[in-house]
């Protein structure tokens, strides 16, 4: 029985818990992508670097707060910086819409024009972030790092293997749950949310109903930028911050949005967890788990790993290609890509 519990502890510590946290981060990022696609009708390739920009603002403000001696004890000081980062990122998103996207929206330009514009915004954001904070890795976590450590878990349970639960992981899971519930309430119950859904379903009919399109566009950018910032900060707290990593995150985020169905918020959440668990399950080395579950005299050969962790983004790419080939509208029947 102890062998099974040790195997379960290993699997939880290195697969279930990290995948759930990573899935929450991808789900928040994919929600921003699917809102822009569902309402503004284009794929926003700048979303990953918007996450990096928002995280950079949070890091800079966190460092300033830490220099002033401000601390939240066992919670990261970055939590105080998130509102400031959201405001700055929302401001940049609204300026981008005003100076870049609005002209083409008035001209009724095709979606590919908006996509190309978003690539330009992506490179602009990438350059700003690298120039301001540099291309290297940055850490901005302070306070208590663990709710409980592997050693504490082992001492409490008496098992050989343990589970570590970090503060950043708990924050990600709780924040994702609260944000998703609040977002769905807003979209389903509020008058503005209903206007956004009506505009997404039928733009012409929504305009005839008296819905202000500019207000819908503004709220969409506000929500997308806020989601990108929170997702980026939570990812940075959990795994560290490097600008290029956020550029790479664009692939799994889009994979998550497309798997669930572009334009479907529920699909974005489901897609985030599908992609996250797929990446972690395929790249985990199962040798130690199989050591506990196999016969006593049996020893696995090698790491028992399907793919190296260097290829984890390849998993997202394969999932993306398969969904586009088999079911372009995604699992929840979003808009076809």
């Amino acid at each position: 029985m102890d062998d099974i519990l040790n195997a379960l502890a290993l699997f939880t510590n290195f697969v279930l818990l990290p995948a759930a946290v990573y899935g929450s981060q991808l789900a928040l990022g994919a929600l921003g992508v699917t809102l822009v696609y569902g309402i503004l009708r284009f794929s926003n390739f700048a979303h990953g670097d918007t996450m990096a920009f928002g995280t950079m603002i949070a890091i800079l403000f966190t460092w300033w707060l830490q220099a002033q001696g401000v601390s939240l004890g066992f919670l990261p000081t970055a939590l105080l910086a998130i509102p400031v980062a959201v405001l700055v990122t929302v401001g940049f998103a609204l300026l981008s819409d005003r100076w870049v996207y609005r002209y083409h929206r008035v001209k009724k330009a095709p979606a590919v024009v908006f996509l190309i514009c978003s690539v330009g915004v992506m490179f602009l954001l990438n350059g700003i972030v690298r120039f301001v904070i540099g291309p290297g890795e940055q850490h901005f976590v302070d306070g208590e790092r663990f709710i409980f450590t592997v050693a504490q878990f082992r001492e409490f349970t008496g098992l050989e293997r343990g589970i570590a639960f970090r503060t950043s992981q708990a924050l990600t899971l709780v924040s994702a749950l609260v944000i998703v519930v609040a977002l769905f309430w807003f979209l389903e119950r509020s008058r503005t949310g209903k206007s956004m859904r009506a505009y997404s379903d039928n733009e012409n009919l929504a305009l005839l109903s008296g819905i202000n399109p500019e207000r819908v566009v503004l709220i969409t950018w506000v929500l997308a930028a806020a989601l990108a910032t929170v997702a980026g900060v939570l990812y940075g707290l959990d795994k560290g911050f490097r600008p290029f990593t956020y550029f790479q995150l664009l692939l799994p985020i889009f994979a998550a949005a497309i798997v669930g169905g572009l334009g479907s918020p529920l699909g974005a959440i489901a897609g985030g967890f599908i992609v996250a668990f797929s990446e972690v399950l395929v790249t985990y080395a199962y040798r130690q788990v199989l050591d506990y579950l196999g016969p006593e005299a049996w020893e696995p050969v090698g790491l028992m790993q399907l793919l190296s962790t260097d290829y984890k983004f390849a998993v997202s790419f394969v999932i993306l290609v398969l969904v586009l080939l088999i079911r372009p509208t995604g699992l929840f029947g979003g808009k076809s890509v």
Side-chain angles (χ1 to χ4, degrees):
M1 187 63 183
D2 281 352
D3 285 344
I4 295 175
L5 292 176
N6 279 314
L8 182 60
L10 265 176
F11 191 74
T12 301
N13 195 45
F14 292 105
V15 176
L16 294 182
L17 185 56
V21 172
Y22 182 41
S24 299
Q25 294 156 0
L26 289 185
L28 291 178
L31 276 170
V33 167
T34 207
L35 278 175
V36 171
Y37 187 88
I39 295 172
L40 304 183
R41 304 289 194 277
F42 75 96
S43 299
N44 182 19
F45 275 30
H47 196 74
D49 283 286
T50 302
M51 292 170 61
F53 179 83
T55 307
M56 177 195 71
I57 300 299
I59 291 173
L60 295 176
F61 194 67
T62 298
W63 286 346
W64 181 81
L65 288 172
Q66 291 170 346
Q68 305 305 311
V70 177
S71 173
L72 288 179
F74 68 94
L75 293 175
T77 309
L79 292 180
L80 296 176
I82 287 178
V84 175
V86 167
L87 287 175
V88 175
T89 309
V90 165
F92 185 90
L94 295 179
L95 286 176
S96 299
D97 180 72
R98 182 82 174 181
W99 292 342
V100 179
Y101 302 114
R102 188 181 182 186
Y103 171 82
H104 298 290
R105 192 164 57 248
V106 172
K107 296 292 184 180
K108 301 292 182 181
V112 67
V113 173
F114 290 91
L115 187 149
I116 294 170
C117 289
S118 74
V119 172
V121 175
M122 175 188 75
F123 284 122
L124 175 63
L125 283 168
N126 193 282
I128 291 173
V129 172
R130 287 169 181 265
F131 178 79
V132 173
I133 205 168
E137 187 168 0
Q138 307 288 346
H139 294 280
F140 57 111
V141 179
D142 58 350
E144 184 83 25
R145 300 293 183 90
F146 292 92
I147 294 177
F148 55 83
T149 63
V150 169
Q152 290 170 333
F153 184 90
R154 289 167 59 186
E155 183 180 354
F156 180 76
T157 61
L159 295 174
E160 183 179 343
R161 299 291 179 175
I163 300 172
F165 192 31
R166 298 197 304 273
T167 307
S168 59
Q169 292 175 321
L171 280 174
T172 297
L173 295 173
V174 173
S175 300
L177 179 61
V178 171
I179 290 170
V180 166
V181 171
L183 180 63
F184 272 81
W185 179 89
F186 173 79
L187 292 175
E188 296 289 334
R189 302 290 184 180
S190 71
R191 185 174 180 179
T192 303
K194 292 175 182 178
S195 298
M196 292 172 67
R197 289 192 293 117
Y199 186 87
S200 175
D201 291 338
N202 192 317
E203 181 179 347
N204 293 326
L205 185 59
L207 295 177
L208 289 173
S209 303
I211 292 174
N212 184 351
E214 288 302 316
R215 186 167 183 268
V216 170
V217 170
L218 184 145
I219 297 298
T220 301
W221 281 117
V222 168
L223 291 176
L227 287 167
T229 302
V230 174
V233 172
L234 291 175
Y235 185 88
L237 286 171
D238 187 43
K239 298 176 176 65
F241 174 83
R242 290 189 67 182
F244 185 67
T245 302
Y246 285 77
F247 174 77
Q248 291 178 313
L249 271 178
L250 191 63
L251 177 58
I253 285 173
F254 263 92
I258 291 171
V259 166
L262 270 173
S264 168
L266 184 60
I269 297 167
F273 285 99
I274 290 171
V275 170
F277 273 90
S278 298
E279 284 189 10
V280 176
L281 285 168
V282 170
T283 57
Y284 177 62
Y286 290 90
R287 178 171 181 171
Q288 291 182 320
V289 173
L290 295 176
D291 274 340
Y292 285 110
L293 297 179
E296 193 169 327
W298 180 71
E299 184 177 344
V301 178
L303 293 175
M304 304 299 290
Q305 185 180 23
L306 294 175
L307 281 178
S308 167
T309 51
D310 293 333
Y311 297 98
K312 70 174 186 176
F313 289 124
V315 178
S316 302
F317 181 75
V318 171
I319 293 173
L320 180 60
V321 170
L322 289 176
V323 171
L324 289 175
L325 290 174
I326 298 170
R327 189 178 173 84
T329 56
L331 298 178
F332 287 80
K335 297 174 176 63
S336 181
V337 181

